[in-house]
Amino acid sequence: MGTNRLALYSQRMAAVTLVLIVAMMGINAAAWLFPGFASEYGLGFSLTERQLSSLADGALRLAGWQSLGAILLTSIPLLALAVGLANLRQLFNRYARGQYFSSEAAVYLGRTGHTVALWVLLDFLCEPLLSVLVTINEPVGQRLITLSVTAPSFVALFLAACIAIIARILSQASEVDSENRTFV
């Protein structure tokens, strides 16, 4: 694959990543504003989807303050993921400029891995608060406190560790590349 095609693909991935960040946050908010629609079509990201799917149809009618609180609580882990995607976008922008072995590229890749791990942790921590928030108006005996450990969480943590290790390797490659350039 030629360098120009690789630069073009990197530019496209940077643009797609930006669209994904905006869409992710918008779909999350829309899922809480229109929970019936979101449940029917499976809209939502991880925490939102798990909470909406666990609620009975009657419980999907949330008060305005509950919907707003749910949007805010579910946005916390998604903001961490958005920061990771923003770092990934910066990495693609570096690649589009031909900076394959730069130390900055390694830093952006490492930050991406760390924020994916942070996303999983925040998702885990926000779930009990969210479950209390959305069921607080339910009668006694129907209120919930949920906590989930899912297979996708373990996969995301594994990928985050892999990304962090690859970032370290890229950092070492950057140092070797820099040394080789001084000899030439």
Side-chain angles (χ1 to χ4, degrees), residues 37-107:
F37 183 78
S39 290
E40 184 176 340
Y41 293 102
L43 295 177
F45 293 94
S46 61
L47 183 54
T48 298
E49 189 173 14
R50 282 194 315 271
Q51 252 342 284
L52 288 176
S53 67
S54 71
L55 295 175
D57 287 337
L60 288 177
R61 290 184 294 275
L62 301 173
W65 65 271
Q66 285 176 297
S67 295
L68 180 60
I71 290 169
L72 292 174
L73 269 175
T74 55
S75 293
I76 292 170
L78 289 180
L79 284 173
L81 184 59
V83 168
L85 289 172
N87 279 293
L88 191 61
R89 182 174 186 274
Q90 290 297 324
L91 177 66
F92 282 125
N93 284 330
R94 295 272 188 244
Y95 287 165
R97 291 192 296 263
Q99 299 174 356
Y100 305 113
F101 293 112
S102 69
S103 60
E104 293 87 9
V107 168

